[in-house]
Amino acid sequence: MNRFARLAEALAFMASDTGKRRLIADYIATTPDPDRGWGLAVLLGAVAVRHARPAVLRALAARRTDPVLFTLSHGFVGDVAETVALMWPDPPPRSNSLPPPMAEVAPALLSADRAGVEDLLEGWLDTLDATGRYTLLKLAAGSLKLDVSPRLVAEALAEWGGVDVHAVEECRHGLTPPYGPLFAWLERRGPRPAAGQGPVFRPFMPAAPFDAGALDALDPAQWAAEWQWDGLRVQLVAGSGGRAVYGRQGEDLTAAFPDLAEALDIDGAVEGEILAAAADGPPFAPASAALLQPRLKRTARGRAVPVFVRLFDMLADGGEDLRPMPFAVRRARLERWFAGRSPALAALSPLLPLAEARRLHTGIAGAGVRGMVLKRRDAPYDPAGAGGAWLAWKRATRSVRAVLMYAQRAGGPGGGGYESYTAGLWRGGALVPLGKATAALPADARRELDRWITAATTNRFGPVREVAPGLVVVVEFDGVSPSARTKCGLSLRGPRIAAVLWDTPVDAAAPLAELEALAEG
């Protein structure tokens, strides 16, 4: 466990993907079986537990720490798990109390129930150092942030084993921890594991950014157009190996969308975009993409959100791999299958006339659409995206001038800066917060912003810093829709701080009504 905790800490401090792949490869190369397999399972998100709720962590703290000191410390640290990890007393070294291996921790957490997890964690905490305790508690709470995607982990394995990353992605979904056959293949001790042992993930085909100025150069006879839906691009797989819903990075989203997995009457794989539905049942109309977030977090409210999927490609039919075929052929197979099965909770994404693409793109409005995707009709499904056979033509980015109100510090190892920012707009002489945004700023500009926040802080709420209203920022976003869950009554799609207007007075920020006028859906 301590070895994996060191990896998690190193990943938190590593900024580059190259460095992260090297760290993961070093861990895999130097950790024995089955520990490295269970560590890999955590990296891939296959150990998804949420036993250690805040109440459990506080109960653990009450066993070994002074309650008043814990409350004061928690107010300063801002994170319950981190506070417990730092305050938990280091036990005297004993020869019979070695730190638990990952091969003990991960399976035990997966099989434990909430009633027994407190005693389980207490025993492990007594054998770990502060870094190990922090990683353990975050893992048990389901909030361990490693900042690595399944795709990056697959790339690390492929580089270490000297194999193609797509081959790793296709076969690893059919395996279970501790992934013995996978390591045997990567170390040249065994054959490549069969991809058909489970629901097979197929790496996604990317779409290159498209400049509208190049539209006239495309031959309408060779290209097709579709809406780029404002949802969650997924791959739905079903067959004798099981059913699964996979995200773009190969993450398994089946637990968040079990209704879609069950409704898909197919022996093969199709691709589409999951959208929140404005109403339950066909004909489907998309609602705000923000409604998908409770679904992804698997909350009780999220389970009540109706969803459906807009299908736009077919990758496998029975045992036949359709990816080498031209898009036009795959699309025809999809339409034929859809007409014969009429699957529930699904609709076809319509093809659009390329000759009218400019007019349609200019008129994009309403919830559910982010732009258009142009597809070459004769192109195979290529996860490398060679030749730019798919082109993403996004709608224009929107922005608003807002006043910075709050910033939240990053937690855990490497959490020295701020990870999110909240700005607000004027309404009746008061600022109304818009919700959290990331910072899309150059490194120097972001450091300058963080220094200003530290100097202008007027109040603290755990990791959140409230600042005096003295700085105007430009908040860019991809879309805005009404929301009952936010103070401003709006939900922004992809909000980010795009610029800091150091010399602009705060009364030059926009009124909330300006943003309300842009709301769609």
Side-chain angles (χ1 to χ4, degrees), residues 130-322:
T131 302
R133 294 193 293 265
Y134 174 81
T135 305
L136 170 66
L137 293 177
K138 283 294 187 180
L139 176 62
S143 56
L144 180 61
K145 295 181 180 179
L146 296 168
D147 197 23
V148 294
S149 66
R151 169 74 180 191
L152 187 140
V153 176
E155 289 172 349
L157 290 172
E159 289 177 10
W160 173 67
V163 299
D164 181 69
V165 63
H166 299 140
V168 175
E169 287 190 304
E170 288 193 19
C171 71
R172 68 102 173 160
H173 284 283
L175 306 173
T176 56
Y179 303 109
L182 177 64
F183 290 124
W185 170 50
L186 295 174
E187 292 177 328
R188 308 291 193 272
R189 295 183 287 106
R192 173 181 166 178
Q197 294 175 358
V200 178
F201 168 73
R202 295 160 178 85
F204 280 60
M205 180 169 176
F210 178 68
D211 182 358
L215 183 63
D216 293 339
L218 302 182
D219 181 357
Q222 299 297 321
W223 290 81
E226 297 176 354
W227 295 122
Q228 185 180 33
W229 300 102
D230 189 6
L232 195 64
R233 185 179 172 187
V234 294
Q235 191 176 107
L236 299 105
V237 184
S240 59
R243 295 170 176 267
V245 180
Y246 292 124
R248 295 171 64 97
Q249 300 292 329
E251 65 274 30
D252 192 340
L253 303 177
T254 312
F257 301 100
D259 45 351
L260 291 179
E262 285 302 316
L264 193 66
D265 181 17
I266 187 175
D267 178 11
V270 291
E271 190 172 307
E273 192 98 0
I274 293 178
L275 299 168
D280 204 355
F284 297 107
S288 169
L291 294 174
L292 293 177
Q293 292 305 313
R295 267 280 187 138
L296 289 169
K297 294 178 181 176
R298 296 161 58 186
T299 64
R301 180 175 176 276
R303 286 191 287 273
V305 175
V307 296
F308 70 106
V309 58
R310 290 275 191 189
L311 300 173
F312 50 72
D313 210 331
M314 183 174 235
L315 310 184
D317 188 6
E320 187 179 10
D321 187 353
L322 305 186

Side-chain angles (χ1 to χ4, degrees), residues 404 406-409 416-418 421 446-460 465-468 471 502:
L404 191 66
Y406 306 98
Q408 180 169 332
R409 298 189 72 86
Y418 297 95
Y421 306 82
R446 183 164 181 174
R447 281 194 292 271
E448 189 175 3
L449 173 61
D450 288 359
R451 283 196 296 270
W452 183 91
I453 291 169
T454 301
T457 295
T458 58
N459 214 341
R460 298 182 176 190
R465 303 293 185 262
E466 182 179 5
V467 297
L471 187 62
W502 295 102

Side-chain angles (χ1 to χ4, degrees), residues 392-405:
W393 186 10
K394 294 184 179 296
R395 64 189 302 183
T397 297
R398 302 179 178 192
S399 65
V400 65
R401 290 185 175 190
V403 180
L404 191 66
M405 300 177 68

Side-chain angles (χ1 to χ4, degrees), residues 455-481:
T457 295
T458 58
N459 214 341
R460 298 182 176 190
F461 309 96
V464 177
R465 303 293 185 262
E466 182 179 5
V467 297
L471 187 62
V472 176
V473 295
V474 176
V475 180
E476 281 189 355
F477 52 93
D478 299 324
V480 56
S481 57

